[in-house]
Amino acid sequence: MPAVAVVGMQWGDEGKGKVIDLLSESAGHIARAQGGNNAGHTVVVSDKEYRFHLLPSGILYPHTKCYIGGGTVIDLKSLLGELETLRRYGIDFKNRLFISPYAHIIFPYHRLLDELSETVHSIGTTKRGIGPCYIDKAARVGLRIADLIYQDTFADKLAKTLHLKNRELVKMYGQPPLDIEDVLTEYRTYAAEIVPFIAPVEEMLYRASQNGEKILYEGAQGSLLDVTFGTYPYVTSSCTIAGGIPSGLGVGPTNINRVVGVAKAYTTRVGNGPFATEFSQDEMQFFPDHIAAREIGVTTGRKRRIGWFDVPMLRHSIHLNGADSLAIMKLDILDELDELKICVGYQIGSQKIRNFPATIEELAAVQPIYETLDGWKSSIGAIRSYGALPHAARAYVRRIEELCEADVSLISVGPRRDQTLWLDRFFGEELK
Ligand code: GDP
Ligand code: IMO
Ligand code: MG
């Protein structure tokens, strides 16, 4: 029985939330392995829009069990806010949400340090404290979800780490130190609400897998934001590729049977860093505006940068993830364009670049080589089968398949669940 990893192939915001929600209808378990509330995953059901930051996007179905894995970093206040929103929507999550004791906790000093470090070396982060929390994890001074259970040792550990962090705040940034009692009081109230959700996530997923139950692994961010293989240093601080799932959830790599790579029919990026196929101002004029295209960041409200579909990037991501198939999202956003460009390769001067650049200097220097295809100039949002798509839209998808040497298993033509064309290639009957 397949366990499917759903991962972003570009710079995040590809539409992973929609794909996870679709596949959750027939999956029992949905798990997040990495990242935190820097993620923003949107699910649209009829006219209602749900936005998830840390909660798995499969939580809307009453039959699912949802897990937040040991590789994540958790902002407790933000998570409690998400749970409050679920309550308001009347979604019952009792006995359906499980948090690993191994996950690390984001503290106010992480958010502060994220914001302050942006003034010195701007990555364009979400300022959610993600990087500083992972720094503390690697430096072995972080506090974990398990620490919430033991109040006295929690206070001792926090005091030691806060001493270090206050030195950084005061000496490096000239900021006032944080008061331990304030932080303790705040976090004790969160602890009371969070502790009931702590569970042996790793063992639970092992059992589910042994019983042949369907599991979805929900990637956050995108492959080009991976801390090792992304466009470093303009990346996030976790492993965002499929290989990060086993280490972030404590499951064996053989537990992942399929990897679905989610990609937009074009490219977007929020935050800084090189973007080879980014639109010129002229090109931007022909594209729907950011609101119509739903290209405003879910977490920070920033406008996303937009550009053409980038095959060298996709091939790189497909290989890094071992993606079995692609979900091509937001094809409808290209409806009005007279012609579409696909970047089929890179060159610097007259020299063709064979492999995706490992440095941002090289990526910033490449000139994209484009191929131009006809637009379809009609609305495809109401189309429900691949065969009914306009000829030019099918040609566009087929060309992506050909150039990427990958099969497309799903095409999305709108944000809602029903605006989905299934190509029946790799999900297999069991998962639909
Ligand atoms: P994620 O972070 O990968 O889950 O993606 P986001 O939720 O941050 O951004 C994707 C945006 O595009 C959201 O507003 C979705 O509702 C929207 N979306 C997803 N698929 C489609 C689609 O096929 N067409 C259109 N028009 N919008 C889509
Ligand atoms: P989802 O899961 C898009 C980007 C930030 C910034 C860089 C580092 O919704 O696809 P961080 O706060 O993580 O230290 O920021 O990573 N970033 C995302 N961009 N989608 C996301 O998540 C992102 N999460 C982080 O904009 O460039
Ligand atoms: Mg997003």
Side-chain angles (χ1 to χ4, degrees):
M1 178 56 44
V4 177
V6 174
V7 283
M9 295 279 99
Q10 295 155 325
W11 278 298
D13 303 327
E14 297 89 348
K16 300 174 292 293
K18 171 170 170 171
V19 175
I20 286 285
D21 171 71
L22 287 169
L23 297 180
S24 295
E25 190 178 358
S26 62
H29 308 267
I30 298 98
R32 270 278 303 269
Q34 43 69 228
N37 61 327
N38 48 349
H41 297 178
T42 314
V43 176
V44 180
V45 184
S46 307
D47 56 347
K48 268 210 186 107
E49 183 164 327
Y50 303 86
R51 292 161 168 213
F52 301 110
H53 296 285
L54 192 57
L55 286 176
S57 305
I59 194 96
L60 296 177
Y61 291 98
H63 66 269
T64 56
K65 288 193 162 62
C66 292
Y67 306 85
I68 299 176
T72 62
V73 287
I74 304 184
D75 183 318
L76 303 177
K77 186 179 179 187
S78 161
L79 178 59
L80 290 169
E82 284 194 66
L83 294 179
E84 193 43 48
T85 307
L86 282 188
R87 279 191 201 99
R88 269 209 315 276
Y89 281 122
I91 294 158
D92 186 11
F93 49 86
K94 207 162 157 240
N95 298 323
R96 295 210 297 120
L97 176 67
F98 307 98
I99 304 176
S100 168
Y102 297 100
H104 276 248
I105 302 172
I106 295 178
F107 284 94
Y109 47 81
H110 292 131
R111 285 191 298 269
L112 267 172
L113 289 167
D114 199 356
E115 207 165 319
L116 291 164
S117 69
E118 279 289 296
T119 62
V120 183
H121 172 49
S122 177
I123 302 287
T125 74
T126 60
K127 299 184 184 167
R128 295 297 186 268
I130 306 295
C133 187
Y134 278 118
I135 289 174
D136 283 1
K137 174 180 178 175
R140 291 149 295 176
V141 295
L143 276 80
R144 301 184 300 171
I145 288 294
D147 292 315
L148 295 173
I149 300 169
Y150 310 104
Q151 284 300 315
D152 44 348
T153 51
F154 182 81
D156 289 346
K157 288 182 187 178
L158 184 62
K160 279 196 189 113
T161 298
L162 191 58
H163 177 68
L164 293 175
K165 298 292 135 182
N166 273 339
R167 263 206 333 228
E168 210 173 319
L169 285 171
V170 175
K171 296 215 163 129
M172 275 182 66
Y173 295 108
Q175 295 291 310
L178 295 180
D179 182 77
I180 176 90
E181 285 311 320
D182 289 350
V183 182
L184 268 179
T185 310
E186 183 184 348
Y187 276 68
R188 279 190 176 128
T189 61
Y190 301 151
E193 291 190 69
I194 294 287
V195 166
F197 294 103
I198 303 177
V201 165
E202 307 70 34
E203 187 61 22
M204 292 170 85
L205 289 173
Y206 176 76
R207 295 276 160 233
S209 175
Q210 290 291 102
N211 293 337
E213 294 164 25
K214 297 174 200 169
I215 304 173
L216 291 177
Y217 299 112
E218 177 171 354
Q221 289 80 51
S223 302
L224 274 296
L225 290 172
D226 182 83
V227 68
T228 306
F229 300 106
T231 46
Y232 191 89
Y234 298 104
V235 294
T236 191
S237 302
S238 66
C239 175
T240 62
I241 57 176
I245 289 167
S247 67
L249 278 161
V251 299
T254 50
N255 283 1
I256 303 177
N257 307 102
R258 298 244 186 281
V259 178
V260 176
V262 186
K264 277 178 189 165
Y266 48 96
T267 312
T268 64
R269 162 165 222 175
V270 252
N272 307 338
F275 183 167
T277 65
E278 189 166 13
F279 285 155
S280 64
Q281 287 204 334
D282 277 356
E283 286 169 321
M284 198 59 221
Q285 281 175 25
F286 300 108
F287 201 79
D289 70 44
H290 282 82
I291 295 174
R294 303 176 74 89
E295 291 303 356
I296 308 276
V298 176
T299 299
T300 56
R302 290 177 291 179
K303 280 186 180 172
R304 296 176 185 145
R305 299 159 63 192
I306 303 176
W308 299 113
F309 191 86
D310 186 335
V311 171
M313 179 201 280
L314 252 285
R315 288 175 64 90
H316 180 56
S317 293
I318 290 166
H319 302 168
L320 288 173
N321 285 281
D324 296 294
S325 72
L326 295 176
I328 295 292
M329 313 300 287
K330 307 191 77 162
L331 192 63
D332 56 300
I333 298 299
L334 306 177
D335 279 353
E336 297 307 319
L337 274 69
D338 289 331
E339 49 184 36
L340 305 166
K341 284 194 201 169
I342 297 182
C343 167
V344 298
Y346 294 157
Q347 60 186 35
I348 296 181
S350 58
Q351 193 191 349
K352 290 232 165 72
I353 305 297
R354 277 194 152 270
N355 297 314
F356 190 81
T359 68
I360 52 165
E361 290 76 14
E362 204 185 347
L363 186 60
V366 301
Q367 294 114 34
I369 303 166
Y370 286 117
E371 198 173 284
T372 303
L373 279 76
D374 290 336
W376 45 94
K377 301 285 285 176
S378 62
S379 170
I380 59 171
I383 286 176
R384 294 292 174 269
S385 75
Y386 177 73
L389 280 175
H391 173 77
R394 276 181 284 144
Y396 185 70
V397 173
R398 269 205 313 274
R399 191 69 186 126
I400 287 176
E401 285 189 309
E402 234 166 59
L403 290 163
C404 293
E405 294 180 288
D407 287 321
V408 170
S409 50
L410 178 160
I411 298 170
S412 178
V413 294
R416 293 195 319 266
R417 284 174 176 167
D418 61 320
Q419 293 178 300
T420 307
L421 319 180
W422 297 91
L423 274 72
D424 240 351
R425 299 232 168 101
F426 267 105
F427 290 128
E429 280 312 305
E430 314 95 314
L431 265 174
K432 274 213 298 151

